[in-house]
Amino acid sequence: MDGTTLEQTSKSDAQREAVIRVRNLTNQFGPQVVHQNLNLDVWRGEVLGIVGGSGTGKSVLLRTIVGLNRPAAGSIEVLGVDVLNGPEQERRRIERRWGVAFQDGALFSSLTVLQNVMAPLREHTGLSESLMCALGNLKISLVGLPQLSCGKLPSELSGGMRKRAALARALALDPEIVFLDEPTAGLDPIGAAAYDELIGELQHALGLTVFMVTHDLDSLYAICDRVAVLAEKQVLVEGPIEEMTKVDHPWVQEYFTGPRARAAQEKGQDR
Ligand SMILES: Nc1ncnc2c1ncn2[C@@H]1O[C@H](COP(=O)(O)OP(=O)(O)OP(=O)(O)O)[C@@H](O)[C@H]1O
């Protein structure tokens, strides 16, 4: 890999299973090159935080992996399937094994919370209406939303509730991987901490792999097993967060050794 890998974990690469493998990825919009020969592995069961300055291509990376953006070059394997060039049928099959929660929730505005959570079940399974309804209700309580919210429209929810509803929808098909785009953005500190706790609990209970784009240092220290820093069109460095302060790069130094990082680290240690 081109970037620096900071090792701390006891497992070697050979022992770990890469559920996502990105190789030589290039993304370009007109003359703007966002990623160039970007490489990244995501290991099964980890929470990986994707960080980087504004515009470094964190969301574009997420969108490319889940098939919402076609890259100019490179390869992406998810759960062993070539998601860019593999057969359509395999791609569809693999889509059932991941869930995505976007920053603003991206819920269907004319559907209730329950109908939103049932939507992936409707699209990908042949389950009966009553079973889909039961499973939808289950996911809604799993993410800590009150049953009362089932019949509400997204516009009738608070920002934090919408994020939980989006997470419930992402979990609808019992995925192995969940992609989260800035999940705690816009939440108050208590709401953000509660959301982090929920993600941590789900990771442990369900063995989820979590790919999380975030600016939130508290989240990084609270729940991320590793972080990957995007800079200079690549994954500049990846490894455990504690190791980031040793990286000799101006953005990494400023981000991980500044007062906000120190405060987040102390909070993380208290948890
Ligand atoms: N569909 C698109 N067409 C043209 N340019 C795009 C498109 N999508 C993203 N970009 C550009 O790619 C760059 C990276 O965008 P991206 O949203 O991934 O940044 P980011 O790292 O997630 O930033 P932030 O932290 O501010 O959310 C930006 O300059 C953006 O304008």
Side-chain angles (χ1 to χ4, degrees):
M1 309 221 354
D2 300 315
T4 308
T5 302
L6 302 169
E7 276 306 338
Q8 181 187 272
T9 51
S10 51
K11 282 186 177 176
S12 69
D13 283 10
Q15 290 170 302
R16 293 183 288 197
E17 181 195 351
V19 288
I20 302 174
R21 202 183 285 270
V22 179
R23 291 291 178 272
N24 299 317
L25 185 75
T26 297
N27 268 305
Q28 186 162 2
F29 301 104
Q32 184 189 10
V33 178
V34 177
H35 303 131
Q36 191 158 38
N37 291 325
L38 180 149
N39 295 307
L40 178 67
D41 285 321
V42 183
W43 307 115
R44 183 177 286 282
E46 75 172 344
V47 178
L48 177 69
I50 307 290
V51 300
S54 192
T56 48
K58 301 178 293 295
S59 298
V60 169
L61 178 60
L62 185 158
R63 292 173 63 82
T64 309
I65 296 171
V66 302
L68 295 173
N69 176 66
R70 184 85 194 166
S75 67
I76 301 174
E77 259 182 36
V78 181
L79 299 162
V81 171
D82 176 347
V83 293
L84 295 178
N85 300 308
E88 177 63 21
Q89 216 178 357
E90 286 225 334
R91 233 205 86 79
R92 290 276 300 163
R93 198 168 48 79
I94 216 73
E95 268 178 16
R96 294 182 49 154
R97 295 169 66 190
W98 75 56
V100 191
F102 291 102
Q103 192 181 147
D104 57 359
L107 297 162
F108 300 115
S109 56
S110 59
L111 299 184
T112 65
V113 169
L114 179 59
Q115 286 166 339
N116 263 286
V117 178
M118 284 165 64
L121 296 165
R122 207 179 288 289
E123 188 184 343
H124 289 282
T125 72
L127 295 174
S128 68
E129 194 68 20
S130 61
L131 203 48
M132 285 194 292
C133 191
L135 287 172
N137 274 303
L138 192 72
K139 301 297 162 164
I140 287 166
S141 44
L142 189 67
V143 300
L145 280 176
Q147 280 302 304
L148 198 68
S149 56
C150 287
K152 291 196 173 181
L153 294 171
S155 59
E156 295 166 336
L157 300 177
S158 71
M161 289 170 92
R162 263 198 298 279
K163 283 180 185 293
R164 283 177 187 253
L167 182 62
R169 189 175 64 179
L171 294 172
L173 292 161
D174 293 326
E176 289 158 66
I177 308 171
V178 173
F179 295 88
L180 306 173
D181 197 355
E182 303 214 20
T184 54
L187 295 184
D188 66 83
I190 294 170
Y195 191 100
D196 286 342
E197 205 171 306
L198 171 64
I199 296 296
E201 276 174 13
L202 291 173
Q203 179 211 14
H204 287 123
L206 309 176
L208 280 177
T209 303
V210 182
F211 180 104
M212 180 169 73
V213 171
T214 187
H215 285 286
D216 188 336
L217 278 155
D218 287 342
S219 295
L220 291 175
Y221 279 101
I223 57 166
C224 288
D225 298 299
R226 283 195 313 142
V227 296
V229 179
L230 261 58
E232 295 159 28
K233 305 181 176 58
Q234 300 193 338
V235 174
L236 178 84
V237 60
E238 33 127 343
I241 193 165
E242 304 77 38
E243 303 288 309
M244 291 295 146
T245 51
K246 299 176 191 159
V247 177
D248 184 16
H249 183 276
W251 188 87
V252 181
Q253 277 298 315
E254 199 179 336
Y255 191 72
F256 288 103
T257 65
R260 290 170 71 98
R262 284 200 299 276
Q265 187 177 9
E266 279 163 22
K267 243 196 260 178
Q269 281 163 353
D270 289 347
R271 284 184 187 172

